Amino acid sequence: MDRQRRHLIALGCALAAFAASAAAQHVSPLPESGWLADEGRLAALTIEPVLDREALANAAFTSAMADQYTDAQDLRFDLIVGEFLFKSPLLLGGQAAKAGLSCHSCHVNGRDNPAFQFPAISGKPGTADTTHNFFSETLGNGTFDPVPIPDLTEPGKVRHDIDSEELEGFIKTIVVDEFGGSNADEALIRPLAAFVRAVRLSGGRTGASTRSLQRDLEDARMMVEQARRLTAANSSAVSTVLLAGARDRLFVVYERLLPNKHSSEREWLVEQSRNLGRAQSLLRQEKSVSGQLDQWLADFGTAPDFTTVEPESLYNPVILKSALTQ
């Protein structure tokens, strides 16, 4: 049996073991749990650095990036869209998309992730084998050789200067070749490159904060809002990925709510996700979804009151710790 096949079998066994362990302990299968090291799991699920979007924008506006845009608002819009594409699992293809991985999973807000440890893909925490055949049929080299996940604020092997467009080419390689994504549309790559450049220019400034239900819901709303603007500009490729990102963020909230306490709130989240799914289907048929997204945003404004729900859910660090240790 060759080494590559052994690693794939090990991956399957590890994922099965994790699922069995979660079921035995009655732990909610939070998506991130599948790729977080035991030692860093609770902290990673409890605390999330919050990106300083204003610092990101200021760094971009005072750099050569601004010369690419005739309107400052267009640059700000690209930075927001780029951030949310960075956090959307559908951007990547193949097994990564099925596992729910996004760029953000390895590079939290553009930095690294010392707690990342995907079964049979990582060595020690904070590493990943980027040439593993599980993710890439193109770049797979048949050798298990995990490397440290880089901090995107630090200088690396790829030039970030605007004129070379080397960063754009590198991002296309990651999306299509490294992770099997099928879409390297320029409308996707441009905001992603803008976001990555701004992360380095700003130093990836963040503030530590407890994971927040309200912030996750607001990010979902913003993703739909940006998708709505892009559908008006006939950019369906980006809108589709953003809607997938919004649905993923709703799923994150859903998984942190407790079935026996928050059934009505969970049902509301499912309905919102289904409505976005219908909009995605229409986009794939090249049909207009402006009206549907307008209605979705209006309905979202009448969401249940989640302020009393959050302290009773797995967003509460005490409840989460108890659930993970049962």
Side-chain angles (χ1 to χ4, degrees), residues 51 56 109-111 152-153 194-204:
L51 189 67
L56 199 76
N109 285 316
R111 307 301 296 268
L152 301 184
T153 66
F195 173 72
V196 172
R197 284 192 177 99
V199 163
R200 177 173 294 182
L201 288 167
S202 68

Side-chain angles (χ1 to χ4, degrees), residues 112-285:
D112 56 5
N113 185 355
F116 184 89
Q117 192 172 39
F118 199 94
I121 299 298
S122 300
K124 63 181 182 180
T127 67
D129 180 0
T130 58
T131 55
H132 199 294
N133 281 49
F134 180 73
F135 288 135
S136 172
E137 296 181 1
T138 304
L139 299 181
N141 61 9
T143 302
F144 183 59
D145 48 4
V147 297
I149 295 170
D151 182 336
L152 301 184
T153 66
E154 301 293 335
K157 61 183 179 181
V158 179
R159 294 168 56 191
H160 278 214
D161 57 287
I162 301 292
D163 294 336
S164 74
E165 295 189 352
E166 189 172 324
L167 179 60
E168 283 81 353
F170 182 67
I171 291 174
K172 287 180 183 179
T173 298
I174 291 175
V175 172
V176 177
D177 296 327
E178 188 172 318
F179 288 104
S182 60
N183 198 331
D185 191 293
E186 181 184 352
L188 282 163
I189 301 302
R190 186 189 66 251
L192 272 169
F195 173 72
V196 172
R197 284 192 177 99
V199 163
R200 177 173 294 182
L201 288 167
S202 68
R205 283 176 53 185
T206 57
S209 176
T210 303
R211 290 289 294 267
S212 165
L213 184 156
Q214 296 296 337
R215 191 181 309 116
D216 281 336
L217 286 179
E218 175 60 12
D219 279 356
R221 186 197 65 78
M222 287 183 67
M223 288 183 190
V224 176
E225 194 172 76
Q226 308 314 313
R228 170 65 182 86
R229 174 174 169 175
L230 285 163
T231 56
N234 297 317
S235 186
S236 60
V238 185
S239 295
T240 300
V241 178
L242 287 174
L243 293 183
R247 297 184 73 190
D248 177 73
R249 195 53 58 99
L250 294 176
F251 177 69
V252 167
V253 177
Y254 176 92
E255 287 294 297
R256 285 183 178 248
L257 300 186
L258 306 181
N260 60 336
K261 285 188 176 182
H262 311 130
S263 58
S264 62
E265 290 86 358
R266 283 163 62 100
E267 288 173 5
W268 182 86
L269 290 165
V270 168
E271 183 60 25
Q272 302 312 307
S273 180
R274 285 175 177 161
N275 289 339
L276 291 181
R278 295 184 186 102
Q280 283 179 282
S281 297
L282 291 173
L283 277 174
R284 295 189 187 101
Q285 300 171 43

